[in-house]
Amino acid sequence: MPDIYFMSYARGDSRFVLRLVNQLELLGANLFVDRSVIGAGEVWQKTIEEAIRTSAGVIVAISPKY
């Protein structure tokens, strides 16, 4: 299984970040993005913490909103 990278971003940047994620995935990146991975009813904080702990790295979309 390829390494998974955690995508960290401000919710207000979702439109830009989701376009970026799509482009990175087309290039073969395997990303954890909260909106597409965490299902309804899941304990999101536990899921996020585990994803960060087990990821190969973190990609941060830094902006004024972040």
Side-chain angles (χ1 to χ4, degrees), residues 46-63:
K46 182 178 178 184
T47 304
I48 296 278
E49 288 172 0
E50 180 67 17
I52 292 170
R53 187 173 26 266
T54 60
S55 70
V58 177
I59 299 171
V60 181
I62 298 175
S63 73

Side-chain angles (χ1 to χ4, degrees):
M1 177 187 278
D3 290 334
I4 297 174
Y5 291 85
F6 183 88
M7 189 74 203
S8 180
Y9 63 99
R11 183 70 63 198
D13 294 326
S14 292
R15 179 180 285 166
F16 166 77
V17 168
L18 294 177
R19 284 193 323 251
L20 175 62
V21 164
N22 287 335
Q23 292 299 309
L24 291 171
E25 288 176 339
L26 286 173
L27 295 171
N30 191 6
L31 304 172
F32 176 97
V33 181
D34 61 345
R35 295 182 80 170
S36 60
V37 177
I38 299 176
E42 281 191 62
V43 180
W44 66 268
Q45 186 173 355
K46 182 178 178 184
T47 304
I48 296 278
E49 288 172 0
E50 180 67 17
I52 292 170
R53 187 173 26 266
T54 60
S55 70
V58 177
I59 299 171
V60 181
I62 298 175
S63 73
K65 295 175 185 170
Y66 191 82

